[in-house]
Amino acid sequence: MTTLSDVDPVDRLVDEAQADPVGYRRRAGGLLTRYADDPRAVVHVRWALGLARRELGELSAACDELHAAAELATASGAARTAAMIRSSLSVVLLHLGDTDRALAVTDAAATALDGVEAARNHMQRGLILQRLGRQDEALGAYDRAQPQLRTAGDRAAESRLLSNRGVLHAYRGELTAARGDLERSVELARQLGSTRATALGLQNLGFVAGRQGHLPDALARLEEADGVLRELGDARALAVLDADRAEVLADAGLFDEAIERAEAAARALSGDEVNGAEADLLIARLCVLGGQHARAAQLADRVRERFRASGREGWELHARYVALAARASQPAHDARDPSPTGTSRGVDRSPSAGIDAADPLADDLEAGGWATEARVARLVAARQALAAGRPDQARDILEHVRGVSRGAPALARAQHWYATALVRVGAGDRRGARRAVSAGLDLLDRSRLVFGSAELRAHAATHTTDLVRLAVRLALQDRRPAEALRALDRVRATDVGVSPRPHDDPRIADDLAELRRLDEQERDAARGGRDAQPTASARARVERRVRDRARAVVNERGDAVGLRLDLAALRRTLGGRTLAAYLVLDDDLHVLAVTPQATRHHRLGPVEEVRTSIAHLRAAVRRLAYGHGSAASLAAAEVSLTRSAEQLVGLLGLDRLDPDGLVVVPTAVLDGMPWATLAAAIGHVPVVAPSAGAWLSAAAQQRRDGPALLVAGPGLPGGVSEVNALAASRPDANVLAGPDATVAAVLAAMQEASIVHLAAHGVFRADNPLFSLLQLTDGPLTVYELEGLQRLPDLFVLSSCEGAATTTLQGDAVLGLSSILLRRGVACVIAPVIEIPDEATGPLMVDLHERLARGASPQRALAEAIAAPPRDDPAARAVRAAFVVVGASLASGGEAAADGGRDEEYR
């Protein structure tokens, strides 16, 4: 008779179940039938099946299989095999929350095992202790087991041990040791040909890279692991990976997405008491970072009780830390009063209570091996000591943290510099505070410029918010508005220090092509009355894949020095023009104005008045442009537009500035502002720029020679006739319309053109502006594809939809089609900032291009075109007023000013 040992040796069967649990589960039924008459074989098959179900998160079923296998082994007199199976069962019991029994089972198994089996049992015990948070004991168990596994040549078990121990080292802050263990784990897994073990090792390497602050590397490792686990169909492992990815995304400033992914992971792991509870705690920690402090505290308290009930004392300590961080957090920090603000019901928020909670908790965390968490708890204690009027105690705490922060990620060290700056402010050392702020910003600038992804650079700027806000406050209080502008521009100029570099990942290109196919499929389903939801879901998955891959791109040529605004060069380049950079502090709008003579600051007034006036202005422009309503209501809209524009001139301080050649750097409240509506009041159309540095960089772009490219997309009323009319004034233009206007043809022609005019339907994606698109004959052209070009034109003109729309992220970094184009070397973009009737733009575009062809700058050409319609055509005037000029205007604009200039403060 054929026996199991002849065809499926026990060690291979068990290892196969862990290497490919999905495949083994499918195979197990046939094996049980085949070996039904061989009790020993049935034991082995069911043991392996229990392990497969454990890996897949089917914990109750895994427990049943392993218990049955152990009973069969005992009944057949195989006591040693029964002990080995019960050792495997211990980890299932852990995940079911029965931690006392899990440890007892490993203790009992140890009495019946020796040699390599005893080492494997030590490894299982180490994993249980690790998940309980008893880190020193876990490390001891791993260290006892590893030499025996290596001597026995048990590479599969040693690989798993090293992977687990690497994660343990990471939690203890021993990141070099963690990476060493994990790299060896992956090496062993590859030698064995175990794709799943390799993927899990890569995932853990991604986790460690995130802890080190190497975020692009972390995302790349996680993306690689994701591909393998998805192919294997391992849903549970993918859920754990999503939790790791959420942590990295939060470190990159993507708090909302991080919370969303952590919540999805928690739902998928809800039946797993160990991983599920840790996922819930991760959500709480991410909520702290994302500003959801009350939710974070409640979640941390609830999960703390779960840890306490399951005897996970180390993790209960971690939950206490998250609850403390949530309650000690504040929405904003003020250099005049750096203490936390706000209250939580039933919580003592007094500074002394904070110190009493934070300082001993930091000691407990340090003793428990939670090095990173201990460091943050001490920063909380330092801030609380400062708020309680104990600057010496705060300084002592920070000195202790400095010693344990060496080698920490940039974000952790920047947090230390921020706390240091607050302490120095409290001690009256303003110069020292400025030095600390500068040191923290230098760290964060260098770390975010590593990202090749414009999206991640912009979101990572969120971490600079507190430091920049403090720098601006200090500068304004000391009457140094030029210094305030430099600090503000560091967060806004997210791309100035980045050399344009197209992504060259062919998988991204393939996925973007797949998005076009799905777009057509979704539209076909809608036209045919079929359910388009499955296609929409597939499109969402491909978009996520594109986003994840693009985020893993590394920029190796970033220069943080490039983010430091050269004010003298700015003045020279501005010539006689004025740059007005806006910011919000304490619910008031402020402006920093750079003129040839001085940099001046003015507090303008409540930001809510500005927000209301802009809302009225946009509503009036839209109503007039579409002609909605009766004659009386349209007349009222025209009055509202004029009144709101006049109000905004005063609210924005433009009546105090020389408007000739004005360059505006908006802040979030000014997103969507139709600046051209102010032309009648101030005499011309302002140029808009995402930052002073971005404008300076765009103005310095070398002009290129090349033909104009005129493109008409499908389904746009009047698009083809608009392009044909433009071609009459540009006889050398390359015209692409109808079937010729494909994505590939347009991208190829763009790289030869000096001016591009796109008459195509567009969609602005506020959720991810890099998926903003222009609809061409064969589908959408996205910003990702524009990022992939080697060369782009000087001037982009977008005649429809909301081509100039942007999103200002938390921290004041700007993300949108126009800001990406400026980053890629485009000097100027002309586009509407409000959705307008597509068919109404033709006359404006013809007028605009005729003026451009005669040599007018984009700014002057748009201003003159806006003034051209007669007063009795309010719709035409409204359509034209929806357009803005973004970037440099491609004209000198005045005599160069002297390098000097002074700071001047206006109140």
Side-chain angles (χ1 to χ4, degrees):
M1 182 182 71
T2 301
T3 65
L4 180 67
S5 58
D6 294 328
V7 291
D8 287 301
V10 173
D11 57 343
R12 291 189 201 168
L13 202 61
V14 169
D15 289 341
E16 178 195 335
Q18 295 178 93
D20 182 12
V22 175
Y24 183 81
R25 184 179 55 183
R26 287 196 298 264
R27 185 173 173 234
L31 289 173
L32 285 171
T33 301
R34 182 176 184 180
Y35 299 113
D37 296 332
D38 183 348
R40 176 177 173 275
V42 171
V43 167
H44 296 149
V45 172
R46 298 195 70 170
W47 178 10
L49 180 57
L51 291 176
R53 291 190 180 280
R54 183 189 76 186
E55 295 299 322
L56 293 171
E58 301 167 0
L59 299 176
S60 295
C63 188
D64 292 343
E65 288 291 350
L66 291 172
H67 183 73
E71 290 296 313
L72 283 171
T74 301
S76 62
R80 186 183 187 86
T81 301
M84 293 165 63
I85 295 170
R86 289 192 173 98
S87 180
S88 299
L89 175 63
S90 67
V91 177
V92 178
L93 296 171
L94 165 72
H95 285 279
L96 287 169
D98 194 347
T99 53
D100 289 341
R101 188 176 166 209
L103 286 173
V105 165
T106 60
D107 287 341
T111 63
L113 299 174
D114 57 18
V116 69
E117 288 82 7
R120 283 194 174 217
N121 187 59
H122 279 312
M123 180 180 73
Q124 302 284 55
R125 184 176 180 81
L127 177 59
I128 295 167
L129 292 167
Q130 178 178 343
R131 303 312 287 268
L132 289 173
R134 292 159 62 175
Q135 296 186 9
D136 289 341
E137 294 175 73
L139 187 60
Y142 287 144
D143 289 348
R144 283 194 300 275
Q146 190 201 359
Q148 293 175 280
L149 295 175
R150 179 174 294 176
T151 300
D154 190 345
R155 291 181 295 171
E158 186 183 4
S159 176
R160 288 194 293 274
L161 181 148
L162 291 171
S163 188
N164 292 332
R165 192 174 71 181
V167 173
L168 175 60
H169 281 311
Y171 277 124
R172 292 166 62 88
E174 300 158 352
L175 300 178
T176 301
R179 182 172 283 273
D181 270 356
L182 291 169
E183 287 174 346
R184 176 60 180 162
S185 171
V186 169
E187 180 185 350
L188 289 171
R190 283 178 170 151
Q191 289 174 7
L192 293 165
S194 175
T195 54
R196 183 173 186 272
T198 300
L200 295 178
L202 289 170
Q203 174 187 340
N204 288 335
L205 277 169
F207 169 75
V208 171
R211 291 242 154 181
Q212 289 177 308
H214 303 159
L215 302 188
D217 180 39
L219 291 169
R221 302 275 191 173
L222 293 172
E223 173 63 22
E224 188 177 356
D226 182 282
V228 175
L229 295 173
R230 202 166 294 281
E231 190 172 328
L232 291 172
D234 197 332
R236 177 175 175 271
L238 284 167
V240 176
L241 184 145
D242 238 7
D244 288 344
R245 184 184 273 123
E247 192 164 350
V248 177
L249 292 175
D251 285 344
L254 288 154
F255 302 130
D256 290 343
E257 185 181 344
I259 292 171
E260 180 184 328
R261 293 209 183 192
E263 288 171 340
R267 287 193 297 272
L269 297 167
S270 58
D272 180 337
E273 181 55 34
V274 171
N275 286 312
E278 290 175 21
D280 285 340
L281 184 61
L282 173 61
I283 295 169
R285 191 155 56 82
L286 298 179
C287 285
V288 175
L289 295 173
Q292 301 179 32
H293 303 126
R295 183 189 180 199
Q298 292 168 0
L299 276 172
D301 287 342
R302 285 203 299 268
V303 78
R304 178 183 173 185
E305 290 305 315
R306 288 170 63 186
F307 288 138
R308 178 183 295 165
S310 60
R312 300 182 68 188
E313 296 175 1
W315 282 91
E316 182 190 350
L317 194 63
H318 194 168
R320 280 177 53 203
Y321 146 76
V322 174
L324 171 74
R327 292 190 168 97
S329 297
Q330 55 182 353
H333 304 299
D334 190 330
R336 297 164 300 182
D337 177 16
S339 61
T341 59
T343 59
S344 294
R345 185 173 298 175
V347 178
D348 186 352
R349 290 294 304 274
S350 67
S352 58
I355 304 167
D356 293 342
D359 219 12
L361 176 58
D363 290 337
D364 291 343
L365 288 164
E366 205 162 55
W370 301 101
T372 301
E373 291 72 18
R375 181 172 57 239
V376 177
R378 293 200 194 283
L379 291 179
V380 171
R383 298 260 297 280
Q384 297 283 15
L386 179 64
R390 306 178 195 172
D392 291 342
Q393 182 180 1
R395 200 175 300 110
D396 290 345
I397 292 171
L398 287 176
E399 283 303 313
H400 178 79
V401 177
R402 183 191 301 276
V404 299
S405 292
R406 293 188 181 94
L411 180 57
R413 287 180 287 156
Q415 290 169 341
H416 180 270
W417 279 119
Y418 177 64
T420 299
L422 291 178
V423 168
R424 289 177 181 175
V425 170
D429 180 8
R430 299 178 72 81
R431 179 177 295 180
R434 286 197 296 270
R435 286 199 302 270
V437 167
S438 182
L441 286 173
D442 284 345
L443 282 167
L444 293 177
D445 286 345
R446 286 194 294 271
S447 68
R448 65 191 169 101
L449 285 179
V450 171
F451 287 120
S453 163
E455 178 205 14
L456 284 192
R457 279 196 305 280
H459 280 282
T462 299
H463 293 304
T464 68
T465 301
D466 287 341
L467 285 162
V468 167
R469 184 185 290 115
L470 181 55
V472 169
R473 287 191 188 282
L474 290 170
L476 295 184
Q477 289 168 3
D478 293 344
R479 293 180 173 268
R480 301 163 67 99
E483 187 174 310
L485 178 62
R486 289 191 185 97
L488 192 65
D489 218 60
R490 290 180 76 156
V491 66
R492 291 178 173 175
T494 55
D495 289 313
V496 173
V498 179
S499 302
R501 175 176 178 265
H503 62 72
D504 54 4
D505 187 342
R507 297 175 303 170
I508 294 177
D510 290 344
D511 282 337
L512 292 171
E514 174 68 3
L515 284 178
R516 282 191 287 279
R517 188 188 68 79
L518 290 169
D519 177 76
E520 179 63 25
Q521 188 174 311
E522 188 174 359
R523 283 186 283 130
D524 283 346
R527 285 192 293 263
R530 300 187 303 277
D531 183 9
Q533 185 54 48
T535 306
S537 299
R539 178 165 48 78
R541 287 193 296 272
V542 177
E543 283 189 358
R544 175 169 164 171
R545 201 160 62 223
V546 170
R547 194 170 60 233
D548 289 344
R549 286 173 176 166
R551 288 169 175 174
V553 175
V554 176
N555 173 54
E556 297 172 351
R557 294 176 286 178
D559 178 13
V561 175
L563 295 179
R564 298 173 190 170
L565 180 63
D566 185 338
L567 202 54
L570 178 63
R571 284 200 177 96
R572 283 196 305 272
T573 308
L574 282 169
R577 290 167 286 200
T578 297
L579 181 139
Y582 291 90
L583 66 146
V584 175
L585 282 176
D586 304 323
D587 297 322
D588 281 338
L589 186 67
H590 300 243
V591 65
L592 299 168
V594 181
T595 70
Q597 297 78 31
T599 304
R600 296 169 177 161
H601 162 240
H602 190 76
R603 179 180 284 120
L604 298 173
V607 72
E608 195 54 43
E609 292 182 32
V610 177
R611 184 178 286 111
T612 300
S613 292
I614 291 175
H616 290 162
L617 189 68
R618 284 175 55 87
V621 169
R622 189 178 291 109
R623 171 169 287 194
L624 289 168
Y626 281 94
H628 290 163
S630 64
S633 67
L634 291 174
E638 195 167 3
V639 170
S640 175
L641 189 155
T642 302
R643 183 173 58 245
S644 298
E646 290 172 350
Q647 288 174 343
L648 282 164
V649 168
L651 292 172
L652 299 177
L654 299 180
D655 52 350
R656 296 177 173 88
L657 303 176
D658 180 359
D660 185 26
L662 181 66
V663 178
V664 172
V665 178
T667 188
V669 69
L670 302 177
D671 279 348
M673 168 69 189
W675 291 94
T677 56
L678 308 185
I682 66 175
H684 76 274
V685 177
V687 168
V688 182
S691 70
W695 181 86
L696 183 58
S697 178
Q701 292 290 343
Q702 271 200 311
R703 306 298 173 245
R704 305 180 180 96
D705 293 326
L709 171 63
L710 309 176
V711 180
L716 187 72
V720 174
S721 59
E722 175 181 304
V723 163
N724 289 336
L726 296 178
S729 63
R730 294 188 178 276
D732 63 337
N734 183 5
V735 179
L736 295 175
D740 296 329
T742 63
V743 170
V746 170
L747 289 174
M750 273 186 190
Q751 299 190 79
E752 305 300 325
S754 60
I755 297 175
V756 170
H757 178 99
L758 286 161
H761 280 303
V763 176
F764 174 68
R765 288 276 298 273
D767 61 322
N768 186 342
L770 275 77
F771 278 117
S772 297
L773 60 87
L774 296 163
Q775 195 70 38
L776 297 180
T777 298
D778 58 340
L781 166 64
T782 68
V783 180
Y784 279 110
E785 282 151 315
L786 294 175
E787 274 209 306
L789 294 181
Q790 293 284 350
R791 180 184 182 277
L792 282 167
D794 292 328
L795 173 63
F796 253 77
V797 181
L798 306 171
S799 65
S800 62
C801 303
E802 300 172 272
T806 58
T807 293
T808 300
L809 306 174
Q810 182 182 349
D812 242 15
V814 176
L815 200 56
L817 172 60
S818 56
S819 67
I820 297 296
L821 289 174
L822 292 188
R823 174 215 172 208
R824 293 292 297 119
V826 173
C828 185
V829 179
I830 300 177
V833 75
I834 298 175
E835 187 176 353
I836 51 176
D838 297 322
E839 64 276 11
T841 62
L844 168 62
M845 293 297 101
V846 172
D847 195 350
L848 177 72
H849 275 274
E850 286 177 350
R851 297 174 193 280
L852 290 170
R854 292 198 296 266
S857 71
Q859 185 179 21
R860 184 172 297 280
L862 182 60
E864 292 173 352
I866 287 172
R871 299 295 301 176
D872 61 355
D873 191 356
R877 302 184 72 82
V879 166
R880 295 177 181 227
F883 281 77
V884 296
V885 179
V886 183
S889 191
L890 306 177
S892 60
E895 296 298 320
D899 284 3
R902 68 184 187 281
D903 287 353
E904 187 174 345
E905 178 84 359
Y906 289 131
R907 292 288 180 187

